[in-house]
Amino acid sequence: MGSVVSYLGQLCGQGKKEEKDRCLRANDRAFNLSFRYANNTIKTSKYNVITFLPLNLFEQFRRLANAYFLFLLILQLIPQISSLAWFTTAVPLALVLSMTGVKDASDDINRHKCDKQVNNRRVDVLIDGQLKNEKWMNVQVGDIVKLENNEFVTADLLLLSSSEPLNLVYVETAELDGETNLKVKQALTVTGAMGDNVEALAAFKGEVRCEPPNNRLDKFKGILSVNGQSYALDNDKVLLRGCTLRNTDWCFGLVIFGGPDTKLMQNSGKSVFKRTSIDHLMNILVLCIFGFLASMCAIMAICNAVWEANEGSVFTVFLPRERGIDAPLSSFLTFWSYVIVLNTVVPISLYVSVEIFRLGNSFFIDWDRKMYYPKNDTPAQARTTTLNEELGQIKYIFSDKTGTLTQNIMTFNKCSINGKAYGDLYDFSGQRVEVTERTEKVDFSWNHLADPKFSFHDHSLVETVRSGKPEAQEFFRLLSLCHTVMPEEKKEGELNYQAQSPDEGALVIAARNFGFVFRSRTPESITVIEMGRQVIYELLAVLDFNNVRKRMSVIVRSPEGKLTLYCKGADTIIYERLHPSCNKLMEVTTNHLNEYAGDGLRTLALAYKDLDERYVMKWAQRHHEASIAMEGRDEKLEELYEEIEKDMMLLGATAVEDKLQDGVPQTIEQLAKADIKIWVLTGDKQETAENIGYSCNMLREEMKDIFIVSANTAEGVKEELQNARRKMCPEAAEEPSVIKSRAGLFWLKKTKTVQDEKVDGDYGLIINGHSLAVALEKNLRLELLRTACMCQTVICCRVTPLQKAQVVQLVKKYKQAVTLAIGDGANDVSMIKAAHIGVGISGQEGMQAVLSSDFSFAQFRYLQRLLLVHGRWSYIRMCKFLGYFFYKNFTFTLVQFWYSFFCGFSAQTVYDEWFITCYNLVYTALPVLGLSLFDQDVNDRWSLQHPQLYCPGQKNQYFNKKAFASCVMHSCYSSLILFFIPWAAMRDTVRDDGKDIANYQSFALLTQTCLLIVVFTQLGLDTYYWSAVNHFFVWGSIAAYFAITFTMYSNGMFYIFTSTFPFVGTARNSLNQPNVWLTIFLSSLLCILPVVAFRFILIQLRPTINDKVRYKMRKEVLPAPAPRRLLRRRSTRSGYAFSHSQGYGELITSQNFLMKRPLKRAPLFPQTDSPIFQNQPQHYRTITEESEESPSP
């Protein structure tokens, strides 16, 4: 009912007022409907059955050429003006509008299906004291809904109660922030007491006053009023739409925001109609062509007036004028007649061909088996068919990290224990060997609690642990105790770990497999199975992680009464707190850490400290006092932590891998060679992003410097940016060079372009979220852009979805370069929509990014093939297509222009009317389509072997205003040859039998035959790759021309349709004369020879990269791909590998928090076929010693 009210309100024109705050009452629909809040229906489609036709036609007629041809059709309906039948324009126009309309309808039907699927999901809603199963679209603000385990969150909800102790729920927020680790939310005690009591929930009349709808995912402010008491609400008490309920049997929530007001939809960004730069250029060129056409028509009209005044009176004796038409009126009508006759200068078939061309190239992307991912049965998909050529002009790529560059699957990879490294395999000669699927795995069958999905290949580590070596056992004991993981056991022996950080989960699973199984916990104890023996440790304190500490510690008491502090954290932080006796061990461990960091692994250092009972008791008392202090609590706790976390003993280090997707480093290297700049925009913390930057080859050892911007104030950010810029380019001016210009249709759009500045060498820039927020302010954004664009690689950390879009828009606005955004989660949607091209990866984080993207595939590595092969081919094909199309049509039209000087400017056509009708739709349609679909300058392997071939597209070298002007000049020359050579050759020519051959019909046939031969020869010169289809199209079109010509000029057609086919016998009487064929040969030679000579000289004097590679391709065989080496990179240990939030340690130690959980609970990852569940190991490639690679003297 609410949706009907809302809809009727919109129809009545009741505008929605901007909300300053939101007020709602639970279980009171009448009260809430009075505010006209949006219901829970979402709509991403553009049209419906009623609005499709008018809105789609309006969108299509916004294209200038379509509007022009509609105007032309109207002119052709006026008999006094038109010399051509109306259907010659109406049929092609209807064809174009129909094809585009069908494509738009198909796209929108898919959007409707997705909307319907989401809106028709079911959820239990509390209505009139009963739980009723309703569709999502019928849920209203103020309703109380019940969610069950593994269900999607229906709307933005205030959590009321849950099945878990302390009213906690666990949600997966991958659709929102891209992180697959679970988040903890907690209800207020006053609402949690209601539990699942439906009567109590139905009687709940709490009022919520909160902030209006916004896109801030990490903040929420509100007040809940219940029974005269007010309770503060924050983000920890809200479940956002897009989340998934995990490991929680049930929960109840109060709907605060629905449908378009939810934070998920607020972050989606606006759907914009994307046009390519070629589209914009075509609009401008079409406008110029209109001016050119108007100029020609004006010249013809003036010349007609002069001719009528001087010569026309002579012909009025046998060609009398129509009544009421004098010379001025005749001149006026002649202008419009020539608008129709010369309209082929902008043929409507151009747009038909462009649509077919784009559709065909989209199918090539869909059908490319080399972009098909068999593991998930996911092919590449061109979801938008209008942006193909833009893929060949990308200058900036904006990429998400988690799930896009990485798989977001953590695995325990290597470790260093007491100075000895484990994890690598070596042969008998001491050389490190490759680990493959065939490599023998460690057998953990001796441990019945081992995780069967865990893989490890170094047998020596198991032998060390099982032999009872104390350092190794203490190492894994630390990993089993020092964490905030919570276990669950569905049935005896089947453990599932619920980790807020995937890093922690990987370390605890590793300890579990090596014999130290974390089994259960309470707020006061941790139970571990150590080498088959159950040990219960008393948990005295958890010294929690935060971004400043970069470490966490636990203090435990063993059954023997021994007190120990276990600590893990960033190596730099741990090293500062070690006992001096660890110096030698620290040096050895540092070398191992450098190796691990060089391999792109996330590292942690581990240490422990034995504690005195008396000291711990005093420290615990002070800790309790500090934890309940009202003022200076954090500072007091930090002092206590610093006091106890010193003089520790080093145990070793761990190396966890956030697996990169296959081929990511090689893909980034290839894209860098193509002069594409890559910016990573991630929500992860700085250390993690920096580490991945090295492992995926974005940050490289050979870079001159890597700048880190981390200031929190505007002055600090400005200073750091300026210092970086001055170091990269000391001679650069202090103020950026901004060029103001005009662009767009009618040059109404004002543009500002920040000029690129030359930098000697490669640099990298890392900027965190706080600094980025400051730098995006109006007075600093140009400084940020200027400094960032000097760098080859930019990494932005801790950014929000909105900031991602702002960064993209900043580059779009001031660099005038083509941008591409790629991501896999809902947090990437706004960035994907903001960029010129949006690419979605169908990976771990749902399909939200894919649904909003223009192109999609399953792996980041396919991006290089999408750009360097399909994108480059599409761009080159489009440029060739446009150049050739304008050439053949300008030539066709200008021949008509020259003929006007010999027909009294009467708008008589030089060609047969049927030739005019068939020229673009029949004779030249298929050959140019073959060129635009199948042409390749080099094949796909050479395209990938030489990424530099991509660079001309970024500079728009192949088709621009200069290339268009060159095309017009070429057409002018060809048209002069094609008109005057046949005219001069046929003027005084006679047949073999002495009869005169110079008549209008013979001249028309000769001219149009010369024209077709020349344009087909020109197409042959422009074609690099001849396939059977190209041959069939070209030779078939030539054959079709002669077949149709002889048929239409035959006696039979003349007898049947006398007035329609007047050229009776012209073909057989003209084309059997040798001088006609000699004229055709001479005209063709004069048109083509200068082109061949010019191209030959140009290749000799100024060969392009394209010419060089094509020459190399003819001379050489493409070498086989070189085996890839695992490169050593600069040591940039991120230190702390965790990404969980501060305060989780306090939660798990709170009283009444963890009760005995039922064994029937659902697993952490219920889809057993998912990559997360499989948790497969990393596969290593052989590392060849550098000495073997050095050249022999």
Side-chain angles (χ1 to χ4, degrees):
M1 182 66 187
S3 60
V4 176
V5 173
S6 176
Y7 181 68
L8 290 176
Q10 292 176 11
L11 288 180
C12 296
Q14 296 176 8
K16 184 178 178 181
K17 296 180 181 179
E18 183 178 353
E19 288 186 54
K20 294 184 178 179
D21 59 7
R22 172 158 294 201
C23 181
L24 59 102
R25 185 181 297 161
N27 294 313
D28 192 343
R29 282 196 170 188
F31 174 80
N32 298 323
L33 283 174
S34 65
F35 294 98
R36 298 179 57 245
Y37 296 138
N39 62 17
N40 205 39
T41 304
I42 64 166
K43 179 185 175 185
T44 60
S45 56
K46 296 181 181 178
Y47 315 107
N48 58 37
V49 176
I50 298 174
T51 62
F52 173 74
L53 195 60
L55 289 182
N56 188 258
L57 287 177
F58 173 75
E59 185 68 40
Q60 291 199 57
F61 282 119
R62 288 177 62 190
R63 182 178 282 173
L64 191 60
N66 286 348
Y68 164 68
F69 283 108
L70 180 63
F71 170 70
L72 198 66
L73 176 60
I74 295 172
L75 284 182
Q76 285 186 298
L77 297 175
I78 304 174
Q80 290 83 358
I81 294 176
S82 178
S83 57
L84 291 173
W86 62 270
F87 57 80
T88 57
T89 298
V91 172
L93 179 61
L95 183 63
V96 171
L97 298 178
S98 300
M99 288 182 60
T100 307
V102 168
K103 179 179 67 66
D104 292 342
S106 175
D107 292 343
D108 208 57
I109 287 171
N110 290 332
R111 284 190 285 265
H112 271 285
K113 288 179 179 178
C114 294
D115 290 346
K116 185 176 180 181
Q117 180 184 4
V118 173
N119 289 330
N120 287 336
R121 287 175 180 167
R122 314 289 296 197
V123 68
D124 290 334
V125 185
L126 190 59
I127 301 176
D128 299 330
Q130 294 181 340
L131 282 175
K132 297 182 180 179
N133 195 254
E134 292 281 348
K135 295 179 180 179
W136 278 24
M137 59 190 291
N138 296 329
V139 174
Q140 298 288 329
V141 171
D143 287 351
I144 292 178
V145 300
K146 179 184 179 182
L147 301 178
E148 296 185 351
N149 193 33
N150 295 325
E151 285 188 352
F152 292 105
V153 177
T154 311
D156 287 356
L157 309 176
L158 170 64
L159 181 62
L160 297 179
S161 62
S162 82
S163 60
E164 299 305 293
L166 217 64
N167 297 307
L168 294 176
V169 298
Y170 308 101
V171 291
E172 184 181 279
T173 60
E175 285 283 350
L176 286 173
D177 57 18
E179 297 182 6
T180 54
N181 48 293
L182 300 186
K183 305 292 191 303
V184 180
K185 303 288 185 177
Q186 185 177 24
L188 289 168
T189 306
V190 66
T191 60
M194 294 186 290
D196 59 350
N197 187 331
V198 175
E199 293 181 359
L201 289 163
F204 180 66
K205 297 297 181 183
E207 289 193 13
V208 174
R209 184 173 294 276
C210 64
E211 60 189 18
N214 59 73
N215 55 20
R216 295 190 297 272
L217 293 174
D218 57 340
K219 291 183 180 180
F220 179 81
K221 294 180 180 179
I223 296 174
L224 172 65
S225 300
V226 182
N227 299 326
Q229 298 292 322
S230 296
Y231 303 89
L233 303 177
D234 56 25
N235 203 47
D236 289 334
K237 297 172 179 59
V238 175
L239 305 182
L240 301 182
R241 179 173 180 147
C243 299
T244 306
L245 195 67
R246 299 291 191 199
N247 299 94
T248 306
D249 291 338
W250 53 262
C251 75
F252 285 87
L254 173 66
V255 177
I256 301 175
F257 301 122
D261 290 343
T262 59
K263 291 182 183 286
L264 174 67
M265 298 303 293
Q266 291 280 315
N267 270 286
S268 294
K270 295 181 180 179
S271 294
V272 293
F273 183 74
K274 295 183 178 180
R275 297 183 185 272
T276 66
S277 56
I278 294 286
D279 273 333
H280 292 298
L281 178 60
M282 280 174 58
N283 273 344
I284 294 173
L285 294 181
V286 166
L287 190 63
C288 295
I289 291 170
F290 286 158
F292 181 63
L293 175 62
S295 301
M296 288 195 297
C297 294
I299 291 172
M300 294 297 100
I302 294 171
C303 291
N304 176 265
V306 174
W307 188 87
E308 286 286 351
N310 297 335
E311 306 288 341
S313 58
V314 178
F315 294 90
T316 54
V317 176
F318 56 92
L319 283 177
R321 294 192 180 100
E322 294 184 26
R323 181 176 299 177
I325 296 181
D326 54 9
L329 181 59
S330 173
S331 175
F332 175 77
L333 295 177
T334 298
F335 176 88
W336 296 109
S337 297
Y338 270 107
V339 168
I340 296 172
V341 170
L342 302 178
N343 79 82
T344 48
V345 76
V346 188
I348 196 167
S349 60
L350 169 67
Y351 292 95
V352 179
S353 301
V354 165
E355 293 296 334
I356 297 174
F357 153 73
R358 286 172 168 166
L359 187 64
N361 281 279
S362 297
F363 282 135
F364 291 152
I365 294 173
D366 295 344
W367 297 337
D368 192 343
R369 292 185 178 182
K370 295 181 180 178
M371 296 172 66
Y372 169 73
Y373 191 54
K375 185 176 180 180
N376 294 341
D377 188 27
T378 306
Q381 186 180 9
R383 296 174 52 82
T384 302
T385 59
T386 57
L387 302 174
N388 300 326
E389 68 272 13
E390 197 100 303
L391 291 170
Q393 300 179 272
I394 303 298
K395 182 65 178 178
Y396 291 90
I397 292 177
F398 301 91
S399 174
D400 180 37
K401 182 194 75 68
T402 305
T404 303
L405 300 177
T406 68
Q407 300 180 34
N408 201 25
I409 302 173
M410 308 296 176
T411 55
F412 179 80
N413 204 291
K414 301 175 185 179
C415 63
S416 171
I417 302 175
N418 198 33
K420 184 175 181 180
Y422 298 92
D424 289 324
L425 300 181
Y426 300 89
D427 59 16
F428 63 91
S429 63
Q431 183 178 353
R432 189 169 145 194
V433 297
E434 180 183 13
V435 175
T436 66
E437 292 182 0
R438 297 182 179 180
T439 304
E440 183 184 3
K441 298 179 182 178
V442 172
D443 182 12
F444 291 106
S445 60
W446 55 273
N447 180 3
H448 72 280
L449 290 175
D451 186 345
K453 300 178 294 296
F454 181 81
S455 295
F456 203 75
H457 297 86
D458 188 353
H459 295 262
S460 63
L461 181 54
V462 176
E463 294 167 2
T464 301
V465 175
R466 297 190 69 184
S467 67
K469 192 170 183 179
E471 292 87 354
Q473 293 199 351
E474 193 74 359
F475 181 91
F476 287 108
R477 184 177 292 114
L478 184 152
L479 293 182
S480 68
L481 293 171
C482 186
H483 55 78
T484 57
V485 173
M486 284 179 281
E488 61 176 1
E489 202 166 352
K490 290 180 63 180
K491 55 185 178 181
E492 186 69 25
E494 287 191 10
L495 278 170
N496 279 307
Y497 290 140
Q498 177 185 295
Q500 210 189 19
S501 160
D503 313 68
E504 273 202 323
L507 294 175
V508 175
I509 288 172
R512 168 184 174 180
N513 278 66
F514 284 99
F516 288 76
V517 185
F518 168 53
R519 191 66 178 270
S520 64
R521 81 182 322 144
T522 70
E524 298 87 13
S525 67
I526 299 175
T527 302
V528 179
I529 308 298
E530 295 186 354
M531 305 305 290
R533 181 174 64 91
Q534 178 171 301
V535 181
I536 300 176
Y537 290 88
E538 182 183 353
L539 180 61
L540 300 179
V542 175
L543 284 61
D544 204 8
F545 162 84
N546 64 36
N547 286 320
V548 177
R549 283 170 44 75
K550 295 186 179 180
R551 65 190 185 277
M552 77 162 290
S553 302
V554 294
I555 301 175
V556 296
R557 188 197 308 270
S558 69
E560 294 80 19
K562 182 181 178 182
L563 289 170
T564 309
L565 178 142
Y566 292 109
C567 182
K568 65 181 181 184
D571 54 290
T572 52
I573 301 296
I574 299 294
Y575 283 180
E576 294 173 357
R577 292 158 176 80
L578 292 180
H579 193 274
S581 63
C582 298
N583 288 343
K584 188 173 181 181
L585 176 58
M586 188 169 65
E587 291 177 8
V588 178
T589 306
T590 300
N591 292 332
H592 294 159
L593 284 168
N594 288 338
E595 291 182 15
Y596 301 156
D599 291 340
L601 305 179
R602 299 152 69 99
T603 58
L604 285 176
L606 311 183
Y608 75 98
K609 178 182 179 181
D610 292 328
L611 299 174
D612 177 69
E613 175 81 28
R614 190 176 302 172
Y615 169 75
V616 171
M617 291 300 102
K618 293 180 180 179
W619 183 90
Q621 178 62 32
R622 288 187 290 147
H623 178 267
H624 175 71
E625 293 172 358
S627 63
I628 62 175
M630 295 301 294
E631 295 182 2
R633 178 188 303 175
D634 293 339
E635 291 78 8
K636 292 176 180 178
L637 288 174
E638 184 60 34
E639 289 179 10
L640 287 170
Y641 294 166
E642 285 288 341
E643 176 187 320
I644 200 167
E645 291 174 329
K646 63 181 180 181
D647 292 333
M648 296 185 291
M649 304 300 294
L650 183 63
L651 272 174
T654 63
V656 173
E657 181 181 19
D658 182 3
K659 284 186 176 181
L660 285 177
Q661 291 187 14
D662 292 338
V664 168
Q666 293 77 20
T667 299
I668 289 175
E669 184 178 1
Q670 288 286 86
L671 296 176
K673 288 180 181 177
D675 198 26
I676 298 175
K677 294 187 176 182
I678 302 175
W679 293 23
V680 173
L681 311 176
T682 177
D684 279 348
K685 64 182 189 302
Q686 178 182 316
E687 293 86 353
T688 306
E690 184 179 352
N691 203 297
I692 291 298
Y694 277 97
S695 62
C696 67
N697 216 20
M698 291 179 59
L699 302 175
R700 297 180 296 276
E701 186 175 355
E702 59 269 20
M703 282 185 167
K704 283 193 170 183
D705 203 349
I706 295 169
F707 306 104
I708 296 177
V709 178
S710 57
N712 291 324
T713 63
E715 293 77 12
V717 171
K718 183 176 182 179
E719 183 180 356
E720 290 181 350
L721 289 172
Q722 287 180 341
N723 290 340
R725 173 176 54 78
R726 289 164 185 161
K727 185 170 183 179
M728 289 186 285
C729 191
E731 66 276 7
E734 283 300 310
E735 294 299 322
S737 174
V738 180
I739 296 178
K740 296 182 179 180
S741 60
R742 289 184 176 271
L745 203 59
F746 302 107
W747 289 268
L748 297 177
K749 181 182 177 183
K750 295 180 180 180
T751 64
K752 296 179 180 179
T753 306
V754 176
Q755 292 293 94
D756 288 330
E757 296 173 89
K758 291 184 178 180
V759 176
D760 184 19
D762 289 342
Y763 294 87
L765 176 69
I766 300 172
I767 180 169
N768 65 32
H770 294 296
S771 303
L772 182 63
V774 174
L776 287 172
E777 295 295 330
K778 190 172 182 179
N779 57 337
L780 276 182
R781 63 177 63 169
L782 288 184
E783 188 66 48
L784 168 66
L785 181 69
R786 189 182 178 192
T787 304
C789 289
M790 290 182 179
C791 302
Q792 182 65 30
T793 298
V794 178
I795 299 177
C796 303
C797 317
R798 291 295 188 194
V799 295
T800 65
L802 184 61
Q803 285 177 333
K804 291 184 178 184
Q806 288 174 337
V807 171
V808 175
Q809 288 164 350
L810 178 65
V811 174
K812 280 179 64 178
K813 181 176 181 180
Y814 288 104
K815 298 305 290 185
Q816 309 301 322
V818 182
T819 59
L820 179 147
I822 179 170
D824 69 325
N827 58 323
D828 304 314
V829 168
S830 56
M831 171 177 73
I832 285 172
K833 288 185 175 181
H836 293 96
I837 301 286
V839 177
I841 290 184
S842 50
Q844 303 288 340
E845 302 179 13
M847 297 294 289
Q848 194 76 19
V850 170
L851 294 175
S852 302
S853 66
D854 305 306
F855 301 88
S856 67
F857 41 71
Q859 295 281 289
F860 181 84
R861 67 175 183 271
Y862 298 147
L863 184 61
Q864 65 171 318
R865 186 167 181 85
L866 182 70
L867 300 186
L868 303 185
V869 178
H870 291 286
R872 200 179 67 83
W873 280 351
S874 294
Y875 171 70
I876 291 177
R877 288 166 180 167
M878 174 62 88
C879 293
K880 278 191 176 184
F881 165 78
L882 291 176
Y884 176 74
F885 214 103
F886 283 126
Y887 167 75
K888 75 182 182 67
N889 281 90
F890 266 94
T891 305
F892 174 90
T893 307
L894 288 173
V895 170
Q896 179 71 56
F897 179 77
W898 305 128
Y899 177 69
S900 300
F901 289 90
F902 295 85
C903 69
F905 309 101
S906 60
Q908 182 185 8
T909 59
V910 69
Y911 310 111
D912 172 24
E913 189 175 89
W914 284 104
F915 179 79
I916 295 173
T917 304
C918 296
Y919 179 71
N920 280 311
L921 293 180
V922 179
Y923 299 145
T924 61
L926 290 180
V928 73
L929 199 61
L931 173 74
S932 63
L933 287 178
F934 304 110
D935 195 44
Q936 304 173 9
D937 54 345
V938 296
N939 62 33
D940 56 340
R941 289 187 65 193
W942 281 93
S943 296
L944 295 172
Q945 186 77 9
H946 296 277
Q948 299 85 355
L949 287 168
Y950 190 83
C951 297
Q954 298 169 328
K955 302 171 185 175
N956 205 17
Q957 290 182 354
Y958 291 142
F959 190 79
N960 47 40
K961 293 173 185 175
K962 183 178 178 182
F964 175 74
S966 174
C967 172
V968 172
M969 297 301 294
H970 184 196
S971 297
C972 287
Y973 169 77
S974 296
S975 64
L976 285 168
I977 296 295
L978 290 172
F979 177 77
F980 286 103
I981 293 297
W983 175 79
M986 300 294 290
R987 186 177 183 185
D988 298 319
T989 302
V990 295
R991 290 165 45 88
D992 294 340
D993 56 6
K995 293 181 179 179
D996 192 2
I997 197 175
N999 59 62
Y1000 165 71
Q1001 293 182 346
S1002 298
F1003 177 71
L1005 175 66
L1006 176 59
T1007 305
Q1008 63 198 34
T1009 304
C1010 289
L1011 173 67
L1012 269 187
I1013 298 298
V1014 167
V1015 296
F1016 282 145
T1017 307
Q1018 183 66 42
L1019 182 136
L1021 292 177
D1022 290 341
T1023 302
Y1024 287 145
Y1025 179 74
W1026 283 92
S1027 65
V1029 177
N1030 292 80
H1031 279 288
F1032 174 75
F1033 283 171
V1034 172
W1035 299 112
S1037 296
I1038 293 175
Y1041 165 71
F1042 285 107
I1044 292 172
T1045 298
F1046 276 100
T1047 301
M1048 289 184 173
Y1049 295 178
S1050 65
N1051 293 350
M1053 296 298 292
F1054 177 72
Y1055 291 146
I1056 299 172
F1057 307 102
T1058 304
S1059 61
T1060 308
F1061 300 102
F1063 280 43
V1064 58
T1066 303
R1068 64 175 181 268
N1069 290 330
S1070 297
L1071 295 179
N1072 64 355
Q1073 299 300 309
N1075 54 359
V1076 170
W1077 289 103
L1078 284 172
T1079 302
I1080 293 173
F1081 175 75
L1082 179 62
S1083 299
S1084 303
L1085 192 66
L1086 290 175
C1087 284
I1088 298 303
L1089 199 60
V1091 177
V1092 175
F1094 176 76
R1095 292 186 180 181
F1096 174 79
I1097 294 171
L1098 200 63
I1099 289 176
Q1100 297 300 317
L1101 299 181
R1102 295 172 57 188
T1104 63
I1105 179 67
N1106 189 286
D1107 297 326
K1108 294 175 183 177
V1109 173
R1110 290 183 65 239
Y1111 177 80
K1112 187 177 180 181
M1113 184 176 67
R1114 290 194 297 266
K1115 296 294 183 181
E1116 300 178 13
V1117 178
L1118 182 67
R1124 292 177 290 188
R1125 296 176 60 245
L1126 189 62
L1127 300 176
R1128 293 286 179 190
R1129 299 180 180 89
R1130 184 192 307 177
S1131 169
T1132 55
R1133 298 192 299 279
S1134 68
Y1136 207 70
F1138 294 170
S1139 59
H1140 63 272
S1141 303
Q1142 180 180 0
Y1144 202 49
E1146 183 179 350
L1147 260 179
I1148 66 170
T1149 56
S1150 61
Q1151 296 297 324
N1152 301 321
F1153 169 46
L1154 285 169
M1155 303 179 191
K1156 180 74 175 176
R1157 297 191 178 180
L1159 296 180
K1160 64 179 182 180
R1161 295 201 43 196
L1164 183 60
F1165 299 108
Q1167 294 95 356
T1168 57
D1169 57 344
S1170 72
I1172 293 180
F1173 188 92
Q1174 293 168 4
N1175 201 17
Q1176 296 175 356
Q1178 170 70 15
H1179 293 243
Y1180 291 93
R1181 300 181 178 88
T1182 305
I1183 296 178
T1184 307
E1185 295 293 341
E1186 294 191 6
S1187 58
E1188 295 181 5
E1189 291 198 351
S1190 58
S1192 56

